[in-house]
Amino acid sequence: MRWVDFKDSVKRFWSEYKHQTSGMVGLALLIILVVLAFAAPLITSPNIPKEWQPGGHAWITNPKNAPPSWENYFSSVKKAPQKVFKLKDMQVKHQVNGSQNVYTITFNYDMRYNVPPKDIAIMGISSNASTPKDNPKVSIMVQRPKEKGVKYENILLLQDSPFPNGGSIQLSYTPQVKTLLFYWLYENGVFHLLMPLQPQLPLNIKLLQLNQQLQMNNTLYGYFQSADPMKILFGQITDGKGHLLPLRRIIYNTTGLMGNYKFTLLISAPKGVSVNLNNLEVVMVGRTYGLLGTDQYGRPIAIGLLWGIRIAMAIGLSVAISTVLIGILYGVTSAYVGGWVDEFLQRFNEFMMTLPVLPMLILLSLYFGGKISLAQLVGILVLFGWMGTAKVARSMALQIKEQTYIEAARSLGAGTGRIVFKHIVPQLLPYAFANIALSVPGAILSEAGLSFLGLTNPNMISWGRMLNDAHANGATINGYWWQVIPPGLAIATVGLIFVLIGVSLDTVLNPRLKRA
């Protein structure tokens, strides 16, 4: 075909296709998907495939099984979303105190939620300390909003806690934090001890005595063990009229104390140790997170959906194109050659069609150790996906090969290859294009099914693998709808897009479906 004829045929095709409303909608959505697939590393991070491992360091400060933040708009109980304070959001002062370099860092957190943050994580502090004993030490103080009946509003949350170089501190999992919070409750008179703490004793001795007495009192120790430090820190301890609430109510039924919380971090290090605060972050770990929440590992569902587009498109298009091309060549060859070759090829085709596909896929997956790579998965799906196309292509080729121009080409000495590729295969291209589009959803569903069964590579970010993780997490039982519905909708949406395109292509390219 000459280039001029090719351009003319493309123009004619487009002039007809653009009048297909469903096809144009599908094409627009496909373009959006392709753009998102290519832009995923720019929108998020190019390291996401490596960081997607369960328990990856990138998600250590994210809440687990957190619903989307927009859920607050539909609930009377507002839950704190994730909030990150970076160095630019804080005030930093540096001074030398004797043999110590001291950095005073302050910032304000506006707490406007019924349920407070789940945790507070501090990360990004590094130093050139040569030994662990020279690592920077961190102290944290919090000034709570004024609450009627509360004697002491300032809370010491952490005192001289060594900061792991390049690591993080999570306050909810730091034993000293809970002890200091109970000490603050004791100082405010929320509960009493059998042997009151002596005011003149050093703080570390008082905390040791407090721990000992709490362990001697089963009721108090039970409250201590089950307490959520963040609900104490951000919760009301009075009834609003100046009367202290019982400890049980503070621990289990606390209501968030809304207002401005002033945090002060004191970071100290020996003079010879250089402290780098450029990457400092204080994360208020939310009870809700982002656009689509998180899974059981703290991984954002939205990021998984975005990167899953790449796997869906790669598998869907590669499998669809490969199966259609193989099927057409197989069918055309069988029809044109005829005789015993046609008979043999058709019997083999029918044998392949009788094989139970899903059990065979499962067996092959187990053969590869239950961790099929992307290339292996494409190969397996192509192996069991070409037979239907071959049957249809053969029936079409049987009609075409009886046409007069085929006889003319043969009489002029055209070889088998030339007749097949020059005169028969081009006649099947309209069917091929439509079939490719209609085959993509099946390939995506096959991958999703294998991934859901846990038979693909666990490091592969796919929607089926996300559904497998949700199932393992008991998402449907626990009501974690955001772990199930978005991946399921994504699979259905991509399938719908290619069905819209495929039906429109069939309408435009198949003469029997054209309207007068």
Side-chain angles (χ1 to χ4, degrees):
M1 180 183 291
R2 295 179 303 169
W3 174 247
V4 175
D5 296 333
F6 175 75
K7 286 199 301 182
D8 184 57
S9 63
V10 170
K11 287 180 181 178
R12 287 200 307 271
F13 162 77
W14 178 248
S15 66
E16 293 185 32
Y17 184 87
K18 67 183 181 182
H19 291 101
Q20 301 290 324
T21 304
S22 60
M24 292 301 292
V25 171
L27 183 61
L29 293 175
L30 178 60
I31 292 172
I32 292 173
L33 279 182
V34 171
V35 170
L36 288 176
F38 280 105
L42 301 176
I43 296 173
T44 56
S45 165
N47 297 322
I48 291 296
K50 293 180 180 179
E51 296 171 350
W52 195 253
Q53 320 298 329
H57 183 75
W59 325 114
I60 193 170
T61 59
N62 287 0
K64 312 297 187 290
N65 298 316
S69 294
W70 50 261
E71 193 181 68
N72 279 334
Y73 293 110
F74 304 97
S75 174
S76 58
V77 179
K78 309 301 181 187
K79 299 178 181 179
Q82 187 97 341
K83 185 172 180 60
V84 180
F85 292 91
K86 297 182 179 293
L87 191 63
K88 61 184 178 60
D89 306 313
M90 309 175 190
Q91 293 80 45
V92 181
K93 293 182 180 178
H94 172 237
Q95 61 183 13
V96 178
N97 186 2
S99 62
Q100 296 284 311
N101 281 316
V102 180
Y103 299 85
T104 304
I105 302 167
T106 58
F107 65 93
N108 296 314
Y109 175 62
D110 190 16
M111 219 288 285
R112 300 293 177 187
Y113 310 98
N114 304 109
V115 184
K118 196 171 186 177
D119 194 5
I120 299 175
I122 304 165
M123 54 199 308
I125 301 175
S126 59
S127 69
N128 63 350
S130 55
T131 59
K133 68 181 181 63
D134 290 331
N135 282 350
K137 291 182 172 56
V138 180
S139 299
I140 303 174
M141 287 160 286
V142 182
Q143 182 180 344
R144 285 166 39 105
K146 291 187 180 297
E147 186 180 8
K148 187 177 180 181
V150 176
K151 187 188 302 182
Y152 304 106
E153 293 167 346
N154 294 335
I155 303 176
L156 178 64
L157 274 184
L158 205 62
Q159 185 178 46
D160 292 334
S161 177
F163 195 94
N165 199 5
S168 63
I169 292 178
Q170 294 177 271
L171 298 187
S172 288
Y173 302 97
T174 304
Q176 188 187 63
V177 172
K178 193 183 289 188
T179 304
L180 284 166
L181 282 168
F182 264 72
Y183 175 72
W184 174 74
L185 292 175
Y186 167 79
E187 288 286 285
N188 276 294
V190 172
F191 67 91
H192 301 282
L193 297 173
L194 187 62
M195 299 176 60
L197 304 178
Q198 300 301 315
Q200 68 274 13
L201 292 175
L203 178 62
N204 59 337
I205 301 298
K206 287 193 282 188
L207 295 181
L208 180 62
Q209 291 183 354
L210 174 64
N211 261 318
Q212 291 172 345
Q213 294 203 49
L214 288 175
Q215 293 180 37
M216 292 169 59
N217 186 317
N218 290 335
T219 302
L220 287 178
Y221 193 62
Y223 291 151
F224 179 79
Q225 289 287 87
S226 59
D228 182 339
M230 296 300 108
K231 288 189 175 180
I232 298 176
L233 173 62
F234 293 103
Q236 294 181 2
I237 64 171
T238 69
D239 59 2
K241 299 178 181 178
H243 302 109
L244 292 169
L245 296 172
L247 181 59
R248 177 183 177 83
R249 186 172 171 187
I250 292 173
I251 298 299
Y252 296 118
N253 301 309
T254 185
T255 303
L257 177 64
M258 300 185 186
N260 183 64
Y261 289 75
K262 182 178 180 181
F263 284 78
T264 302
L265 278 66
L266 295 177
I267 301 173
S268 60
K271 278 186 177 180
V273 175
S274 174
V275 180
N276 185 356
L277 302 176
N278 292 333
N279 298 317
L280 173 64
E281 289 184 357
V282 178
V283 182
M284 299 292 173
V285 180
R287 305 275 175 173
T288 63
Y289 187 94
L291 186 62
L292 291 174
T294 62
D295 64 8
Q296 65 268 40
Y297 304 111
R299 302 177 301 193
I301 300 296
I303 290 180
L305 283 186
L306 182 61
W307 279 83
I309 297 173
R310 292 185 150 211
I311 297 296
M313 298 294 286
I315 289 178
L317 291 174
S318 57
V319 170
I321 293 172
S322 300
T323 53
V324 169
L325 289 179
I326 292 172
I328 285 179
L329 292 176
Y330 189 96
V332 169
T333 302
S334 177
Y336 185 78
V337 175
W340 68 267
V341 175
D342 180 36
E343 190 71 20
F344 172 78
L345 292 177
Q346 290 311 299
R347 298 295 79 78
F348 180 73
N349 189 339
E350 290 164 3
F351 167 75
M352 292 294 294
M353 293 181 75
T354 60
L355 294 177
V357 177
L358 184 58
M360 293 298 294
L361 290 176
I362 293 174
L363 287 174
L364 286 172
S365 301
L366 294 175
Y367 173 78
F368 288 111
K371 296 181 180 179
I372 306 177
S373 66
L374 181 60
Q376 291 170 337
L377 182 58
V378 169
I380 292 173
L381 293 178
V382 170
L383 178 64
F384 293 100
W386 56 269
M387 293 82 72
T389 303
K391 279 286 185 184
V392 176
R394 176 180 177 271
S395 65
M396 296 174 70
L398 284 173
Q399 299 176 29
I400 295 172
K401 83 176 218 178
E402 301 300 328
Q403 298 296 319
T404 306
Y405 66 88
I406 299 294
E407 291 293 333
R410 190 182 295 115
S411 63
L412 289 173
T416 300
R418 181 175 179 81
I419 293 174
V420 168
F421 289 102
K422 182 75 174 178
H423 299 292
I424 298 180
V425 170
Q427 302 300 316
L428 272 63
L429 289 181
Y431 164 73
F433 291 140
N435 200 26
I436 285 172
L438 293 171
S439 299
V440 170
I444 293 174
L445 285 173
S446 298
E447 180 278 325
L450 287 176
S451 295
F452 178 74
L453 294 174
L455 298 174
T456 57
N457 191 331
N459 299 330
M460 191 166 63
I461 309 176
S462 74
W463 298 329
R465 175 58 62 173
M466 292 174 69
L467 289 173
N468 173 266
D469 290 339
H471 176 71
N473 190 35
T476 52
I477 298 174
N478 295 313
Y480 302 148
W481 59 266
W482 57 91
Q483 298 179 14
V484 177
I485 294 179
L489 281 178
I491 294 171
T493 301
V494 173
L496 176 62
I497 288 172
F498 281 97
V499 167
L500 292 175
I501 294 174
V503 171
S504 298
L505 284 174
D506 204 23
T507 303
V508 171
L509 297 173
N510 191 337
R512 290 175 297 176
L513 298 179
K514 288 186 178 180
R515 298 179 182 177

